[in-house]
Each structure stands twice: as C-alpha cells, then as structure tokens.
Amino acid sequence: MRKYIKENSFFIFIILICLLFSLLLIGRRWRVESSNKAYDIVLDYGELELMAEQSGHDTVWWLNQFQAMGINYVGLMEENLSSLMEDPTADVSALSMSKIMQSPNWKDNYPEPFIREIDKHGYDRYDVIVEASGDAAELVARGIEGRLEKTFIHYEESDPIRIHLDGEKKHYFLLDGSINDALYANSSQYVTDMRRGFASSTEIESSKLLYIPLGLVPEKVALIQDAGLEIVPRTVTYDGYNGAGFAEDVLDGYQSFGIRPRYILAGGEAVIGADDKESNPLWNYITENDIPLGLIETSVQREHVKQTGLIEMAEGQSYNAVRVFSMWDYVQNRYAYYGYEGPEEIVNELYRAITERNIRVVYFKPIKQHDSYFAYVTDPGVYRDMFESLDARLAPHHIVRGEARSMENIQYHPVFSLPMGIAAGIGGVMLLALLLSLNKRIQFILAAGVTFGVMAFIIIVPNTSRLIISFANAGIFASLAVAFFLRSAKSIGQSLSETSKVREIVVKSVGTLDGALLIALAGAMLTAAPLSSTEYMLEIGIFRGVKLAQMLPLGMFCLLFLASFGLFEKERREDRLQMKDFAGILNWTIPVWGFLLLGVLFMAGRYYLARTGHETSVTVSSVELVLRNILENISYARPRTKEFLIAFPCIMLTVYASVRRMPFWVGLFGLAGTIGMASVINTFEHIRTPLYLGFMRTAGSLVLGTLLGMAYIFIFEFLYKMAQRSQKGKENT
C-alpha cells in the first residue's frame, strides 16, 4: 500500500487539495446548522375541539393546559360552507341545484323575490343555493362577497312575517357554479332481480363551492386570543378560486382580528393568491412582516407536500422558510405502540424529525388510541410528560423550544463545484488504473481530459453539474474505499503466514477498517459539499440516484475482487483484470451450492436495495425498530444497523479470511463490507441531516462495528480450528 501511495502521490495530493476546498463549504454549512437550534409547536384547533368533546373539559381548559406546557401558537382553519353546516351553533344550509331540483316543488321553500331573481339570472344544476341566518350569515355574506369572483345573487329576507316565524332574518345566496365545480359520488351500478347489470348512475353530490374558505369565526378567534395564545391561520385554497382578490380578502381578515401569523402554513392546493403569479399580495405581506413559509414534509418523509407557488415563493424570498412536521394519522395512532405503555414512539418520531431532518415546526394534533381512529388520549399528564421527555432528549443537541427561524441563506456559484468535480475525475482515473494496466502517461492524459471535461460541463449545465458531480463522488470514493480494504487484505495476507496469531490479524484488520472509513468519509465530504446550500438543507432539492449510488460500489467490488483474487485463487500475484479471468468465469463449473448461494445473494441484494432510499416497499420488522429506538435512546446519534452489525465487522473478516487463505470467504465478506462504504457516504447524501449527526452516527458505527468485528473474528477462528481438527481426523482414519 505504501508503494501505491508513493506511485500515486501527485493524484492523492490533488484530491487532498480538493477535499480541503470542500471542507470550506462544509464548514460554512456547519456554522449555519449550529445557529439554527430552536423548534416550535403549533397546536391544531380543530382536533383539539374534538378531543375536548371526549374529555369532559371544554376547549378553553385544554388551551390553558397546553399553554402551561409551553405551546404558544394555535393553528386555526378558516371556515367554509361545509364546515359551517357541521357546526351545530351555525344556522347554515347549502345544497347543489342538482339535489334541490329533484323536488318538484322546490321553489316553494324559498322567498318569492329570491326565486324571481334567480329565474331572471338563470341557473343550472352546477349552481349552489345557500341559506343562512344569525352570525353565520354575516360570515357567509362577507366571505362570498369578498372572495368569490364568480357571479352570485344575495337576497336578504325582508318579509316581516317570515322573519317573525323563523326568529331571525335569513340570507339567501345563489352561487354560480360550473361543471368544473361539480363533485360526484363513485359511479353506482343498478342491477335487475337476477343481479344483472342494468344501468350505471353518476349523480352530482356536492360542489367545490362548499369548500371555498370564507373566513375565521370571530368566536373561535376571541376564545384563543383570550386564552393568551396566538393564532396561525390556515386557509385551504383551490385552483380557480385563488386569485389576488381572494388573497387580499384573506389578509384583510387577518388584520381585522389583529393577527400577524408567526408562520405561513399553506393549506389545500396552493399558497393563497397563487392564481395571480405576477401580483400576489402574499409576497409583499410576508416580506414586510418577515414571516417564514412552512414547508410541510410529506407522510413518507421525503420532500414536501406539493402546493402551487410555494417553492417559487420560498426561492424568491431567499428561502425564508422552515420545515414543518405534520402529525399524520399514523403518528397520532402510535400511542402504546411497539409494547410501550404511553407515547414513547410518538416522542421517537418527533425526536427523529427534529434532529435528523431539520424540522423546526411541529404541527401537533392530539394523540389517538393506537386501536382507534377516533378515540383521543384525554389525560393531560400524558401530553405534559411527552413534551418534557422530548425536550430532555433534545437538550444534548442544544435544541430548545422557541420561535423557529429560517436558516441563513447559503448559495454558491457553480464554479465552486469544480474542485469536487476534479476530485471525482481523478478518483475515477485511479479506480480505472486499479483494474487495468495503465501507464502513468495515460493516467495523466486521462486526468487532464477529465478536468477540462468537468470545467466544460459546469459551464454548459451549471445546476445539473452539481448533482452529477455529487453522484460521481459518491460512487467513485465508495469504490476507492472498497479497493483499499480489498488490496490491504490481500497485502496483509501475503505478508503474514497462514498460521499467524489471531490477535495480530485483529490489529491489522482494525487498521484496514479505519483506513477504508477515512476514504469513504473523504468521499462523503466531496459528495455533500456541492449540495451544501439552503435549498438542499430545506430539502427543496435532494440528492438523486440513491439506489444507483449503492449499486455501483457492489459492481465495482466484483471487478476489483476478480482483479486481485481471480476466481478464488489462493496465490494470485496479479492485481489487474485479465482476459483469462473472464474466460475462467465463462468456463466455471458451478456446483449446486453455488447456485444456492447466488440465489441467496440475489434475494439479499433485492432486500438491501428495497430498503434503500426514502420510499421503500419493504416493512421494517418491529424487532429492528425497537432495537433502533433503544440505540437512539442510549446514544447521541443512532449508528446505522447495517454498518456496525454487518458491514464493518465483515471488512475485518475480509482481512482474516485473506490471511487464512480462504479467497471464497474474502469475496463473501468483502461484498458485505462494500455495503458499509456506500452506507457511510449515503449518510451524508441526505443534506437535510445536520453534519454533526452524520459524523457522530458514523463514529458510533465504527466503535460498535470494531468490537463486533473482533468478536466475529474470534468466533470464526474457533470454527476454523474446529474444521481443521475435523479434517485431520478424517485424514488419519
């Protein structure tokens, strides 16, 4: 290995220079991450009301309870016709004309002047008639007049007899709908008495107009504000009803209640006003008030809920945004889960979101029983203990409860990716030279060509080049780390006798693991540096090609192993691929156990790839999840299971097998060890994860992996001795 370093000292020197440059970019990111240590909780009012109904306490009592737990913000949805009809205190009725006109005498149910107006105006089955009285009528009238740009008719009851009979003055509205507003039930099938299909029926059941937000209910606003909490209003939007006029009315409504939102948490399909891209009032509003936009993480913990105009607005506002974790249904139901007695698994979910994924706002919904989608946990002590436990676990990370702030905006010119591109290019040349017989002149020509190619690539496609350079470093340096431990294992096997003491092998194997890990970490820095800007830290942009980056080192291992050990040769001297190696594979008579082994490796590979990435079709076992939780609770950063349990110990076993002249086991252990090198780099491909956590996680994997590797070697040595004795016994008989 010393000889190799000496022969390639120039290339290694250039890579080290590139690595130092990448560390400058990484250092700035580290500083920004270190200053972003406050997280906040916003309580969902709608589900709080539902929980209060089941608890025997009113909503005000619960607001006071959560305020005592350090929660200062409440998320309040604007009302729509549908929600008002579900409110027993609001006298509101709204039906689509398709439903109303099914009654032949429907006009008798409404005042004659209102009927004359709609007859004059005209109507069709896509329209909606609204009837309201009392305070709700005022909210409906104000919302319809301020937010619906389509034609509508508003009639206020003036007949004193009808007013006297009904008790309150009623308001009637005809909302002009269209076919695009119609909402249908799933098609139903009519059948005959012989259960044969006769006809299908598709009826209009409702209208989008019933779901257009009309404003905040004053009574709810007063209730929250009187309790001393601040409101984070939420407005659900729908394309076609979300223009500048709509946005202006929404913002005027905030101002009328004295609300200045701490965060803008968009609801529905878009940010408010997204239909008018050129003149959205929200833009100036958040600029003047310095309000961060909320990027709501999806339920699969990848990127954000797609909402029109959100990302464009975040980019235009210099990424004045915070990542938001919403309590999805599956999280709410994890009370007394995995054998826990209380909300421990919910604490685990929140802890991981905040520490590992840069979440800084938790949109909290009350907990539900794990065996019910409707029954809430109504013991305030459970919530108090849960938040205290969460804060205690976050304390070692110096993350505290407080107002969440957006990160300092970090942006780099594409030219800053050049050193990392050069490192990837030179690393690729070195990797190629490990496989083929390339003289130094050819290597230098290739390195120069790659350097100029990287420069041109950055000029032609500056944004794409960042991702390609990052991906190239991930695959190449994981492969270089594999080449290091494989060549080191062979070199150690050649320098030590087959009967060397196991303690000597352990020492050499630990050094080999450490060296390979340093190369992988260098690759991790070169991978992370080009993407260490704010949009990737907020996961607006993500590393692409995670699965492919895991597969490439595995393929490269097969070539490197073939170059170093041939087809399981015990005394191979060459370290280059030869034609006879491929010919040997084609002529290899594979035994039955070989087919079985290939089948096992294929299934293991499929499982490994299925487990890799954000969205996986493979369900992690409960046992493994409990083990993860235990490690998470006892360590600063949970080490990755596949690293310390399998990959790192197998790198040490690769050295052991090489010394004991067992090339088959070198190949098997080396293949498993390759997973670890790819995994180390993969840890840093997730730019949303703070750097310090990646380093601590890898350090934990190294410590545990080294200890387990030692144990595995001694166990394998025992089995090896037993096999030798058995073989000698057979020979003697």
Side-chain angles (χ1 to χ4, degrees):
M1 188 53 65
R2 290 181 180 177
K3 180 182 177 182
Y4 178 82
I5 293 174
K6 184 177 180 181
E7 291 176 349
N8 294 274
S9 57
F10 178 76
F11 286 158
I12 294 173
F13 175 74
I14 295 298
I15 288 177
L16 288 175
I17 295 297
C18 296
L19 178 62
L20 288 174
F21 190 88
S22 74
L23 292 177
L24 294 176
L25 305 186
I26 292 292
R28 186 181 177 191
R29 172 183 158 191
W30 185 296
R31 179 177 58 80
V32 170
E33 289 175 341
S34 299
S35 62
N36 189 245
K37 293 288 188 176
Y39 85 99
D40 208 348
I41 298 175
V42 177
L43 179 65
D44 182 76
Y45 182 84
E47 294 214 27
L48 181 71
E49 276 191 320
L50 296 175
M51 181 182 68
E53 290 179 2
Q54 301 177 16
S55 69
H57 297 285
D58 61 17
T59 306
V60 174
W61 186 88
W62 276 105
L63 286 172
N64 292 331
Q65 293 295 313
F66 280 107
Q67 186 182 38
M69 299 175 202
I71 295 178
N72 298 311
Y73 296 100
V74 176
L76 181 61
M77 284 285 188
E78 289 199 332
E79 303 293 337
N80 54 46
L81 292 171
S82 179
S83 66
L84 288 171
M85 285 192 291
E86 294 175 358
D87 186 347
T89 65
D91 184 10
V92 175
S93 174
L95 285 173
S96 68
M97 288 297 292
S98 176
K99 289 284 188 182
I100 293 172
M101 290 189 299
Q102 290 179 9
S103 173
N105 300 318
W106 66 270
K107 292 185 179 181
D108 296 340
N109 298 323
Y110 301 97
E112 290 182 9
F114 176 62
I115 294 298
R116 285 197 300 270
E117 285 193 45
I118 65 174
D119 281 338
K120 180 180 178 182
H121 173 268
Y123 57 86
D124 57 39
R125 64 196 187 109
Y126 304 116
D127 297 342
V128 171
I129 287 183
V130 182
E131 183 179 348
S133 63
D135 294 335
E138 184 179 349
L139 173 64
V140 171
R142 187 172 61 246
I144 290 174
E145 292 169 4
R147 301 187 179 187
L148 286 184
E149 297 178 359
K150 289 190 174 183
T151 304
F152 63 89
I153 293 173
H154 177 195
Y155 171 74
E156 184 176 351
E157 180 62 76
S158 58
D159 185 343
I161 297 176
R162 290 178 64 96
I163 294 173
H164 175 73
L165 291 174
D166 294 339
E168 286 186 331
K169 183 183 294 187
K170 286 189 177 291
H171 294 251
Y172 298 88
F173 304 85
L174 175 72
L175 308 183
D176 194 1
S178 68
I179 189 172
N180 294 325
D181 299 318
L183 299 176
Y184 302 87
N186 287 330
S187 178
S188 58
Q189 184 75 27
Y190 295 132
V191 297
T192 67
D193 60 341
M194 297 299 293
R195 293 188 177 180
R196 293 176 181 173
F198 180 75
S200 61
S201 172
T202 302
E203 297 181 359
I204 297 175
E205 292 292 328
S206 187
S207 170
K208 287 183 182 178
L209 296 170
L210 271 64
Y211 297 92
I212 304 302
L214 302 175
L216 298 170
V217 174
E219 291 77 13
K220 293 182 180 180
V221 172
L223 185 145
I224 296 170
Q225 291 178 336
D226 291 346
L229 291 96
E230 296 185 41
I231 294 172
V232 175
R234 302 202 64 192
T235 303
V236 177
T237 59
Y238 298 96
D239 293 341
Y241 293 95
N242 190 22
F246 175 88
E248 287 175 357
D249 192 79
V250 170
L251 298 175
D252 288 344
Y254 295 171
Q255 187 174 2
S256 68
F257 290 116
I259 296 172
R260 179 188 171 278
R262 180 66 192 90
Y263 314 103
I264 294 293
L265 303 183
E269 299 174 343
V271 295
I272 59 172
D275 287 355
D276 287 319
K277 297 179 180 179
E278 301 299 326
S279 58
N280 189 346
L282 181 63
W283 183 285
N284 293 332
Y285 183 78
I286 62 177
T287 301
E288 294 168 0
N289 294 282
D290 189 26
I291 305 174
L293 286 163
L295 306 175
I296 302 172
E297 186 182 62
T298 63
S299 59
V300 296
Q301 301 174 6
R302 176 185 172 92
E303 299 181 88
H304 308 102
V305 175
K306 301 299 182 184
Q307 294 169 306
T308 304
L310 180 64
I311 300 304
E312 293 80 0
M313 188 165 288
E315 292 172 346
Q317 296 287 333
S318 299
Y319 298 102
N320 183 16
V322 291
R323 300 197 72 221
V324 180
F325 178 82
S326 177
M327 290 276 288
W328 302 103
D329 291 345
Y330 78 91
V331 180
Q332 285 181 276
N333 284 107
R334 290 197 167 177
Y335 181 77
Y337 207 66
Y338 293 141
Y340 293 120
E341 295 182 358
E344 289 87 350
E345 181 56 21
I346 297 175
V347 173
N348 291 334
E349 291 278 356
L350 297 177
Y351 172 81
R352 284 191 287 268
I354 294 167
T355 57
E356 298 181 9
R357 305 200 299 275
N358 264 336
I359 292 294
R360 288 298 176 263
V361 173
V362 174
Y363 193 75
F364 184 79
K365 299 174 184 177
I367 304 168
K368 295 177 180 177
Q369 303 288 350
H370 79 274
D371 57 353
S372 172
Y373 289 107
F374 304 101
Y376 290 91
V377 174
T378 57
D379 181 0
V382 169
Y383 295 95
R384 190 177 301 109
D385 293 343
M386 181 183 70
F387 290 127
E388 288 177 357
S389 174
L390 177 62
D391 288 337
R393 289 183 61 184
L394 292 172
H397 297 268
H398 306 290
I399 297 176
V400 297
R401 196 97 63 87
E403 289 189 351
R405 300 286 180 181
S406 57
M407 296 180 182
E408 176 189 337
N409 187 18
I410 303 177
Q411 297 297 325
Y412 300 112
H413 191 277
V415 74
F416 282 85
S417 300
L418 179 60
M420 283 69 79
I422 293 173
I426 292 176
V429 172
M430 293 176 67
L431 198 58
L432 189 63
L434 286 169
L435 296 173
L436 307 174
S437 297
L438 301 179
N439 60 44
K440 284 300 174 185
R441 182 179 179 183
I442 294 177
Q443 291 182 42
F444 277 106
I445 291 173
L446 288 174
V450 167
T451 299
F452 285 112
V454 170
M455 293 172 63
F457 189 50
I458 291 174
I459 292 172
I460 296 170
V461 282
N463 293 324
T464 305
S465 65
R466 297 168 63 190
L467 286 167
I468 299 298
I469 288 171
S470 183
F471 173 80
N473 276 306
I476 288 170
F477 278 86
S479 300
L480 286 172
V482 170
F484 173 84
F485 79 69
L486 200 55
R487 291 293 174 86
S488 295
K490 181 177 180 180
S491 177
I492 294 168
Q494 291 174 338
S495 63
L496 297 179
S497 68
E498 188 176 348
T499 57
S500 297
K501 292 182 178 180
V502 70
R503 291 182 179 84
E504 188 175 2
I505 300 175
V506 166
V507 172
K508 296 285 187 179
S509 66
V510 170
T512 299
L513 172 60
D514 292 344
L517 184 60
L518 285 175
I519 295 172
L521 281 173
M525 297 302 98
L526 293 165
T527 298
L531 307 182
S532 290
S533 53
T534 306
E535 66 266 34
Y536 287 93
M537 294 162 73
L538 291 172
E539 211 172 28
I540 292 173
I542 61 171
F543 179 90
R544 302 289 179 179
V546 171
K547 291 184 184 293
L548 186 57
Q550 303 285 306
M551 292 173 61
L552 287 176
L554 293 172
M556 189 57 65
F557 168 83
C558 296
L559 294 176
L560 289 166
F561 178 82
L562 194 61
S564 297
F565 291 90
L567 199 60
F568 309 122
E569 299 173 21
K570 287 190 175 182
E571 299 297 334
R572 171 129 175 158
R573 294 299 173 185
E574 291 290 335
D575 278 325
R576 299 289 186 273
L577 284 174
Q578 303 172 58
M579 288 303 297
K580 68 175 185 178
D581 297 326
F582 297 101
I585 292 175
L586 295 175
N587 294 322
W588 184 29
T589 302
I590 304 178
V592 174
W593 64 264
F595 278 109
L596 294 175
L597 178 63
L598 288 174
V600 171
L601 290 175
F602 175 75
M603 295 303 296
R606 282 194 62 183
Y607 179 77
Y608 166 64
L609 291 174
R611 285 279 304 272
T612 301
H614 299 273
E615 295 149 341
T616 172
S617 58
V618 176
T619 303
V620 182
S621 68
S622 297
V623 174
E624 184 177 349
L625 287 171
V626 171
L627 175 61
R628 288 183 180 183
N629 291 339
I630 292 172
L631 290 170
E632 208 168 61
N633 278 279
I634 65 176
S635 60
Y636 188 77
R638 178 184 61 81
R640 302 189 81 166
T641 310
K642 59 187 172 186
E643 290 177 4
F644 76 83
L645 200 59
I646 301 173
F648 289 2
C650 281
I651 290 175
M652 297 173 64
L653 282 168
T654 302
V655 177
Y656 171 85
S658 179
V659 174
R660 293 290 186 248
R661 309 300 190 270
M662 296 184 292
F664 172 78
W665 291 102
V666 170
L668 197 60
F669 290 140
L671 191 63
T674 299
I675 294 172
M677 299 299 96
S679 176
V680 168
I681 296 178
N682 177 251
T683 296
F684 293 88
E685 289 168 1
H686 302 286
I687 309 300
R688 66 184 183 182
T689 303
L691 286 163
Y692 79 92
L693 207 64
F695 284 115
M696 295 302 297
R697 173 169 287 167
T698 304
S701 294
L702 177 62
V703 172
L704 288 177
T706 301
L707 294 175
L708 285 174
M710 292 177 181
Y712 291 177
I713 287 176
F714 282 108
I715 292 171
F716 210 88
E717 175 71 3
F718 173 76
L719 296 174
Y720 174 73
K721 295 293 186 184
M722 291 289 290
Q724 280 189 322
R725 289 172 188 165
S726 176
Q727 184 65 30
K728 287 181 180 179
K730 289 180 180 179
E731 291 174 356
N732 292 334
T733 57

